[in-house]
Amino acid sequence: MKPIKLIMSAFGPYAGEMSAIDFSQFEDKGLFLISGDTGAGKTTIFDAICFALYGETSGRYRNKKNLRSEYAKESTETFVDFYFTHQGKDYHIWRRPEYERKKQRGSGVTSIKENAILYSDDNTPIEGKTQVNEAVRELLHIDEKQFKQIAMISQGEFWALLNARTDDRTKILRTIFQTSGYNNIEYLLKARMDTSYRLKAKTEDSIVQYFNDVSVDENDDLAEELSDLQNRAKKSGSAWNLEEMIQLLDSVIESDKSRLEDADNELKNIEKESDSSKEDLAMAETNNGFIIRFENLKIKEKELKEKKKDIDGKEALLN
């Protein structure tokens, strides 16, 4: 926001309408200093600009209800007219404080209510205290407190910024340098980091669980080492010694391969013996069949001999 022109009427110590303060001559300077002796009116300028924007005075020790000059005539209206530019656009705020003045006719006083009008280029003016305040906060992206701390540092109130809480200073500086986008990136990166940590922890839990399911023969040389490492993994609850676990698992795999090879060789030998036994069994079964047939033939031979003997005996009787 760059101030262009400021007009004050019956405001603060000024009884009438002051000549416009032209800030446009400092437009190319970037920063400029309002200086002067005590009581010269520096604070009044700050009050007028802050009041025009937010309806508040620039300092914590001044009451906005006393902004009307006590020297003003009843016919003179109290107001502030402030012209400024923001992001290449022209804006103009006219604001009047709430005050009381004597009636021009008769006795008593007349109450004048606070009012404000915001003009912006060719847009429809915004009128009303609340409406203008909201429009200014939306336009500048800072509230009156932050504005006082970064734009209207008067009468030693720079300490308010220096002594502000870290969170407050962070918000103010973030607004000044428009780093909210980086702040959003920070939140996104932190969320991704938290997700990665949770995934890492879940993965480590799975690794420890599967590692504890590994078993070897109790007579294996690696049995004691495996049991010790499994107990340490359970206590730690994480795969902090993943490299050691992998090395031991490689050793277990190699041991299992060797044992499997020995088991395969033993199985092959057993299969050979089984095949030989099957051949012997088949031959034995064949021979056993011959023996049974031979025994049956001997029995039949004996029966035939007995029958022949009977027949021979009968023939002899007949003769």
Side-chain angles (χ1 to χ4, degrees), residues 276-292:
S276 178
S277 298
K278 287 179 180 179
E279 291 177 359
D280 292 341
L281 177 60
M283 184 177 295
E285 289 177 347
T286 302
N287 292 336
N288 189 47
F290 289 149
I291 292 172
I292 292 173

Side-chain angles (χ1 to χ4, degrees), residues 97-155:
E98 180 181 355
Y99 64 91
E100 292 182 347
R101 63 172 175 79
K102 292 181 181 181
K103 291 183 178 180
Q104 296 181 8
R105 295 180 182 180
S107 60
V109 295
T110 298
S111 295
I112 306 298
K113 294 183 179 180
E114 180 178 342
N115 193 21
I117 304 175
L118 171 62
Y119 304 90
S120 57
D121 292 337
D122 297 330
N123 297 327
T124 302
I126 299 173
E127 184 172 1
K129 171 185 173 182
T130 303
Q131 292 83 346
V132 172
N133 290 349
E134 292 178 355
V136 170
R137 280 192 290 268
E138 184 177 352
L139 175 65
L140 301 182
H141 298 292
I142 54 176
D143 57 25
E144 61 273 14
K145 180 181 177 182
Q146 294 170 326
F147 181 80
K148 293 173 188 178
Q149 289 178 304
I150 64 177
M152 293 287 137
I153 303 176
S154 62
Q155 298 290 329

Side-chain angles (χ1 to χ4, degrees), residues 41-76:
K42 303 183 298 298
T43 301
T44 302
I45 295 176
F46 294 153
D47 281 340
I49 294 176
C50 190
F51 176 72
L53 291 172
Y54 295 100
E56 299 287 343
T57 57
S58 65
R60 67 183 68 178
Y61 307 111
R62 291 176 288 279
N63 191 330
K64 68 175 184 177
K65 292 185 179 181
N66 299 322
L67 292 178
R68 178 173 170 80
S69 174
E70 59 181 321
Y71 309 109
K73 297 179 180 180
E74 285 73 14
S75 59
T76 303

